[in-house]
């Protein structure tokens, strides 16, 4: 686990010049899967040559809210296009946002059977191909070819699935050792979690003491006009469009434009 604070918990031999330090804190992946919100901190040094370490468990109810995410691997499935088309045709009376909500709900319920279950699907496909081989290709050749294509399709979806969740240079490590890759991704998620932020007055607030307001106020202030724009700066910029073009650009966005851009 990542150790916060001073990076070593024990040292000896500083005076002699042969310094030895220990900095390891080991946990199993099974333990990490059971305890997600944990931090390990190195406390201030004491009179002993060993520094105490503190393992804290954090409850984060704000992380429990589920948010729909579109999976790129669904694009390889015919059901994806069918669901989107049906949602648009059968809900013409709804607004654009309501159509997207209905569509995402149906994609989510159907897509759970396709993503995140690659291990079982691959094993099932291998088992079917092995059974066909033992039964002879004379009777099952065409079925074997179909199942083999299905096997490679599952592998392609799995690669897209993990590529969507990782940086490109981690993809090779994930292909070679998916358990290690999954553990690395989980570790990065833990390290990137925010437990507290500091306000402009120096106070540190957590999720239970108003951290969400600190974040909201920051972006409100960031995107609030402060009246510092000087027209003298813009006066020297050469105009590249005429008045007619400007009027076209100022027209409200129509539903047809959105539909054309999306589809």
């Amino acid at each position: 686990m990542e150790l916060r604070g001073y990076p070593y918990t024990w040292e000896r031999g500083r005076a002699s010049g042969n310094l030895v330090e220990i900095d390891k804190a080991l946990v199993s992946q099974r333990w990490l899967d059971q305890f997600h919100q944990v931090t390990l901190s190195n406390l201030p040094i004491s009179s002993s040559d060993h520094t105490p370490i503190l393992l804290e468990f954090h409850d984060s109810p704000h992380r429990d809210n589920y948010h729909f995410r579109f999976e790129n691997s669904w694009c390889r499935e015919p059901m994806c296009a069918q669901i989107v088309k049906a949602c648009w045709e059968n809900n013409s009376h709804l607004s654009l946002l309501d159509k997207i909500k209905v569509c995402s709900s149906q994609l989510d319920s159907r897509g759970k059977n396709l993503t995140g279950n690659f291990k079982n699907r691959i094993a099932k496909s291998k088992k079917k191909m092995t059974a066909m081989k033992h039964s002879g290709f004379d009777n099952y050749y065409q079925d074997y070819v179909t199942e083999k294509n299905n096997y490679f399709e599952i592998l392609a979806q799995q690669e897209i699935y993990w590529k969507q969740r990782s940086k490109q240079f981690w993809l090779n490590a994930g292909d070679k050792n998916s358990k290690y890759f999954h553990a690395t991704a989980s570790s990065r998620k833990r390290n990137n979690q925010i437990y507290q932020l500091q306000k402009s007055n120096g106070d540190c607030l957590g999720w239970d003491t108003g951290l969400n307001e600190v974040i909201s106020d920051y972006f409100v202030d960031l995107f609030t006009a402060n009246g510092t724009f000087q027209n003298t700066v813009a006066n020297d910029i050469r105009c590249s469009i005429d008045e007619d073009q400007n009027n076209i650009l100022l027209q409200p966005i129509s539903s047809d434009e959105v539909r054309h851009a999306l589809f």
Side-chain angles (χ1 to χ4, degrees):
M1 287 191 64
E2 177 193 17
L3 182 62
R4 300 187 175 188
Y6 187 72
Y8 302 105
T9 62
W10 178 88
E11 65 177 23
R12 176 165 294 177
R14 183 180 295 275
S16 64
N18 298 320
L19 180 63
V20 178
E21 296 178 305
I22 295 178
D23 63 346
K24 299 296 183 184
L26 304 178
V27 293
S28 67
Q29 183 58 42
R30 182 179 179 183
W31 189 90
L32 286 175
D33 292 338
Q34 186 173 357
F35 303 102
H36 302 287
Q37 311 291 338
V38 292
T39 56
L40 185 69
S41 303
N42 196 358
L43 302 183
I45 195 167
S46 63
S47 57
S48 171
D49 54 359
H50 290 269
T51 58
I53 58 176
L54 176 64
L55 182 67
E56 296 179 280
F57 297 83
H58 305 278
D59 294 327
S60 300
H62 59 283
R63 294 287 186 181
D64 296 337
N65 296 329
Y66 174 75
H67 298 283
F68 170 77
R69 294 291 185 270
F70 183 84
E71 299 289 349
N72 292 336
S73 58
W74 292 345
C75 294
R76 300 181 66 92
E77 291 287 342
M79 72 91 187
C80 180
Q82 295 172 3
I83 290 177
V84 174
K85 183 178 180 181
C87 287
W88 245 250
E89 293 178 349
N90 299 334
N91 299 282
S92 57
H93 60 287
L94 297 179
S95 65
L96 177 63
L97 289 179
D98 290 334
K99 287 181 181 180
I100 293 176
K101 289 180 181 179
V102 173
C103 185
S104 62
S105 177
Q106 296 192 20
L107 283 173
D108 191 32
S109 60
R110 293 282 298 277
K112 287 181 179 179
N113 297 326
L114 299 175
T115 55
N117 195 28
F118 296 111
K119 184 177 181 179
N120 293 336
R121 293 170 63 195
I122 291 174
K124 184 177 179 180
S125 181
K126 285 183 176 180
K127 186 177 180 180
K128 290 177 65 175
M129 287 190 293
T130 302
M132 293 176 187
K133 282 183 178 181
H134 293 164
S135 301
F137 283 114
D138 294 339
N139 299 325
Y140 297 98
Y141 177 75
Q142 189 59 43
D143 293 338
Y144 178 83
V145 173
T146 302
E147 187 59 39
K148 187 175 182 180
N149 292 335
N150 178 58
Y151 171 77
F152 286 115
E153 174 63 25
I154 298 173
L155 292 180
Q157 292 179 12
Q158 180 180 235
E159 182 176 359
I160 295 173
Y161 177 86
W162 284 114
K163 186 175 182 181
Q164 185 176 353
R165 282 158 173 73
S166 66
K167 296 179 181 178
Q168 180 64 38
F169 65 85
W170 278 114
L171 192 57
N172 291 330
D175 292 339
K176 296 175 182 177
N177 190 333
S178 55
K179 184 175 182 180
Y180 166 77
F181 172 69
H182 179 74
T184 304
S186 299
S187 175
R188 184 168 59 246
K189 180 180 178 181
R190 288 193 301 274
N191 294 340
N192 290 339
Q193 288 178 357
I194 298 175
Y195 297 105
Q196 64 178 9
L197 290 175
Q198 189 177 51
K199 295 178 62 176
S200 57
N201 61 1
D203 295 338
C204 292
L205 301 181
W207 291 109
D208 297 331
T209 55
L211 177 57
N212 54 336
E213 296 179 2
V214 175
I215 298 174
S216 176
D217 292 343
Y218 170 79
F219 284 103
V220 168
D221 181 66
L222 181 65
F223 293 105
T224 299
N226 54 20
T228 58
F229 177 75
Q230 300 294 330
N231 289 330
T232 54
V233 177
N235 289 337
D236 294 332
I237 301 177
R238 182 176 60 86
C239 183
S240 58
I241 61 173
D242 56 33
E243 185 175 352
D244 292 336
Q245 292 172 329
N246 187 61
N247 292 332
I248 294 175
L249 293 173
L250 292 176
Q251 293 298 316
I253 299 175
S254 65
S255 300
D256 290 337
E257 286 181 288
V258 176
R259 189 179 298 106
H260 177 73
L262 288 175
F263 303 106

